[in-house]
Amino acid sequence: MKTEKSEKRLFGTAAMMVAVTLMAKLLGMLRDILTASHFGTTTDAVAYEAASRLPVTLFDFALGGVVTAAFIPIFNELLAKKGKDDAFAFASRYFNLILTVTAAITALGILFAEPLVGFLAPEISDAAKELAVPLCRMMFPMIVFTGVAYCYVGILQSFEKYTLPAIMSLVSNLVMVVYFYTLCDDFGVWGLSTALVLGWFLQAAIQAPAAHRLGFRCRPVRFLGDVYIRRALKLALPILVCSWLQPVCNVINTRFASGFEGGSAITMVSYANRLYIIFVGIFSFVATNLLFPKLSRAEASGDADGARRFAGGSIKILLLIMLPLAVGVFLLAEPVTRAVYMRNEFTAHDAEMTASVLRLFALGIPFMSANEVLTKLFFARQSVKAPMLSSLISILFNIALCSLLVYTIGFDGIGIASSATIALCTVLNFIFLSKRGALLDRRDFADLAKLLLCTAVMAAAVLAFDRFAAPDTDILRVLTDGAVGVCVYAASLLVLPTAEVRTLKEKLFKRSSHD
């Protein structure tokens, strides 16, 4: 009975997070639609993209996943072994550490904004660079708000409070959407930059009352010399290197994209990447953010086998969703891009270029999802040398492959290199983790083979329908092709069910029989 209640609570939490995350992603898509509509790939758009990417990239390089990944395992350990008072005392010292680091990054970013813009986007026009530098300086304080927001995320998720961490991106996206509908015509890209900073401030602000109700108080206290802060710092550098892969890929993509279409290709790669993040983020974000605190608690209590089984099952569930999603995005990249972005300042040519890189980004969706689970299991174990090595190898691979492909096949090389890199990192992490006990057994691999076969059947059905029966309108084409894909995939899974599908069928049958 207790296990059944726990499963119901977990399912309810996951459903809530899916719903909230879906709303946030839809608002994020609306934000991107409005950005493309108002600014397209113009000089303002290029400047805004370069300027807004810099603070985020520097945060990812200096802190990235460290804020929560180095915090949650130690915080949960203190909760389990010493109680709330000691855990919150550590949290207060950790907050002071993050505030100090983010304030320093902000000051350095403002001071060196001009050379940083030149490094990130070396081939954009002089007019775009001239506008990007002051915009960048205006946006750098959001690094402080980002650090604080993720500190609160760590506390709330450790107490299984998932709603506010899931809502925070919804709030920031809402601020920007409201700006587009009210003040954009008057204040343009300058006002958009201000709205972005305000959105990040609100991400931190909305979580503070909930953490306060739990008993957390952030006070100015010394953090250097504390044994748990030293442990967090010891974890921090390897975890930081583990988190570098995505920002390094983004920097490389931006640098190479600045050499295409007079520099405006960096906006095309950005629009494609935002769609990619929406597709991969809804279920992957929910699963991994729900998963990490539970893995940390399992490892802290000594249940390593349970954590490993939980991680393996999570990978299978994610791939059940992400494999067909990746194929769908690959097949329908052009109508999706046109339906989402092509209006006003965003031209048919812009849509074609954006779709070409989105299609190739889609190949990395299953690997990105699985890798999120693998790295979270490493972090929960406070074992970070292996994923650090995977990340370093993959970074070097990405630099070499992107350099080779861009100069041989052109713009599409950016997308191919990105997907190949995340695939390599995932395989390496899986191999390293499997040395400490298999995550998946033969039955699991048989289930994965079934998923691949069902996905192939779905792809064939979508291609056939798209060729012979799909409507001409992009939106209707995407909806009807997608509906066909979902139906065929679901039917295929009924014919070739995996263990998870069989379990779901049994639970549904049991519930209907009770009703």
Side-chain angles (χ1 to χ4, degrees):
M1 182 64 70
K2 186 176 180 180
T3 302
E4 187 174 340
K5 287 183 178 179
S6 177
E7 288 181 354
K8 286 182 178 179
R9 186 166 60 250
L10 181 64
F11 178 79
T13 302
M16 178 276 298
M17 290 183 70
V18 167
V20 173
T21 306
L22 178 59
M23 287 189 291
K25 296 299 182 184
L26 289 175
L27 264 181
M29 181 180 289
L30 178 58
R31 174 205 63 202
D32 295 338
I33 290 170
L34 293 169
T35 303
S37 177
H38 280 80
F39 300 109
T41 59
T42 62
T43 297
D44 282 0
V46 173
Y48 173 78
E49 180 58 35
S52 61
R53 186 168 293 279
L54 259 176
V56 174
T57 300
L58 273 182
F59 177 84
D60 287 340
F61 271 111
L63 290 172
V66 169
V67 180
T68 53
F71 173 82
I72 287 179
I74 296 175
F75 185 79
N76 277 275
E77 180 184 326
L78 287 168
L79 272 178
K81 296 179 179 179
K82 295 194 174 184
K84 286 176 65 172
D85 290 344
D86 282 19
F88 282 141
F90 163 70
S92 187
R93 291 189 289 272
Y94 195 82
F95 260 70
N96 280 271
L97 169 65
I98 297 301
L99 282 170
T100 301
V101 173
T102 53
I105 297 171
T106 298
L108 291 172
I110 291 172
L111 183 63
F112 295 106
E114 187 171 353
L116 287 170
V117 168
F119 173 79
L120 182 66
E123 298 185 58
I124 62 174
S125 67
D126 291 340
K129 286 182 182 177
E130 186 176 345
L131 177 58
V133 171
L135 288 177
C136 181
R137 288 182 172 133
M138 187 196 331
M139 286 188 275
F140 257 108
M142 74 182 188
I143 288 180
V144 176
F145 306 139
T146 305
V148 172
Y150 282 108
C151 283
Y152 281 129
V153 166
I155 291 175
L156 296 180
Q157 288 185 348
S158 295
F159 285 93
E160 299 190 10
K161 307 291 184 182
Y162 298 104
T163 303
L164 282 173
I167 282 176
M168 68 179 198
S169 60
L170 187 151
V171 172
S172 59
N173 288 336
L174 181 61
V175 169
M176 299 185 72
V177 168
V178 169
Y179 169 76
F180 276 114
Y181 282 114
T182 56
L183 300 172
C184 186
D185 291 340
D186 295 322
F187 297 100
V189 74
W190 289 92
L192 182 60
S193 302
T194 304
L196 181 63
V197 176
L198 176 61
W200 273 104
F201 168 77
L202 290 176
Q203 287 197 5
I206 63 170
Q207 298 182 88
H212 191 274
R213 286 192 295 271
L214 289 170
F216 173 69
R217 305 289 185 274
C218 182
R219 298 183 175 91
V221 293
R222 290 181 58 186
F223 52 83
L224 294 178
D226 178 76
V227 62
Y228 295 107
I229 291 294
R230 286 202 300 269
R231 280 183 56 191
L233 290 173
K234 187 177 179 180
L235 283 172
L237 181 58
I239 290 176
L240 189 59
V241 175
C242 294
S243 70
W244 276 353
L245 181 58
Q246 195 60 39
V248 166
C249 286
N250 288 338
V251 169
I252 293 169
N253 290 348
T254 302
R255 282 181 60 85
F256 280 110
S258 71
F260 293 93
E261 302 290 315
S264 66
I266 70 170
T267 61
M268 300 167 187
V269 171
S270 176
Y271 290 134
N273 188 61
R274 287 171 181 170
L275 276 177
Y276 166 79
I277 293 299
I278 288 172
F279 291 127
V280 77
I282 294 173
F283 296 102
S284 181
F285 170 85
V286 170
T288 55
N289 281 273
L290 189 63
L291 175 67
F292 185 33
K294 292 184 178 295
L295 287 175
S296 297
R297 285 192 292 274
E299 291 288 344
S301 64
D303 188 14
D305 288 339
R308 188 172 63 248
R309 288 193 301 271
F310 189 32
S314 299
I315 289 174
K316 288 178 64 183
I317 291 171
L318 276 174
L319 291 180
L320 185 147
I321 299 168
M322 293 302 179
L323 278 171
L325 180 62
V327 171
V329 175
F330 180 86
L331 295 177
L332 302 175
E334 287 190 19
V336 165
T337 304
R338 287 196 298 265
V340 172
Y341 290 133
M342 201 175 78
R343 54 186 56 82
N344 296 334
E345 294 293 329
F346 198 87
T347 66
H349 175 69
D350 297 336
E352 181 182 356
M353 294 283 287
T354 301
S356 71
V357 72
L358 173 63
R359 179 182 294 109
L360 298 169
F361 280 167
L363 299 176
I365 287 177
F367 297 103
M368 174 68 78
S369 304
N371 196 54
E372 284 290 317
V373 178
L374 298 175
T375 54
K376 290 298 188 292
L377 181 55
F378 274 121
F379 295 164
R381 291 176 174 177
Q382 301 183 39
S383 172
V384 290
K385 290 183 180 179
M388 179 179 70
L389 180 61
S390 299
S391 182
L392 287 174
I393 293 172
S394 300
I395 286 170
L396 294 175
F397 176 77
N398 181 253
I399 294 171
L401 185 62
C402 199
S403 301
L404 174 66
L405 293 179
V406 165
Y407 288 117
T408 53
I409 65 174
F411 185 63
D412 285 348
I414 295 173
I416 296 172
S418 294
S419 292
T421 298
I422 190 59
L424 173 64
C425 190
T426 304
V427 170
L428 290 174
N429 279 332
F430 184 82
I431 292 171
F432 289 144
L433 269 173
S434 296
K435 290 181 179 179
R436 295 183 58 178
L439 288 175
L440 304 173
D441 58 25
R442 289 183 179 179
R443 287 175 296 181
D444 293 326
F445 283 109
D447 282 344
L448 292 180
K450 291 179 183 178
L451 292 181
L452 288 171
L453 182 57
C454 292
T455 302
V457 171
M458 180 207 77
V462 170
L463 281 172
F465 180 84
D466 188 71
R467 180 174 181 181
F468 297 109
D472 292 333
T473 306
D474 286 322
I475 294 178
L476 290 177
R477 180 181 171 190
V478 171
L479 291 175
T480 54
D481 283 8
V484 168
V486 169
C487 292
V488 171
Y489 184 66
S492 301
L493 284 175
L494 291 176
V495 175
L496 292 172
T498 65
E500 289 72 26
V501 173
R502 286 194 296 270
T503 300
L504 179 60
K505 286 169 61 179
E506 289 170 3
K507 288 185 176 181
L508 291 175
F509 179 77
K510 183 179 178 181
R511 180 175 295 179
S512 63
S513 63
H514 284 317
D515 294 341

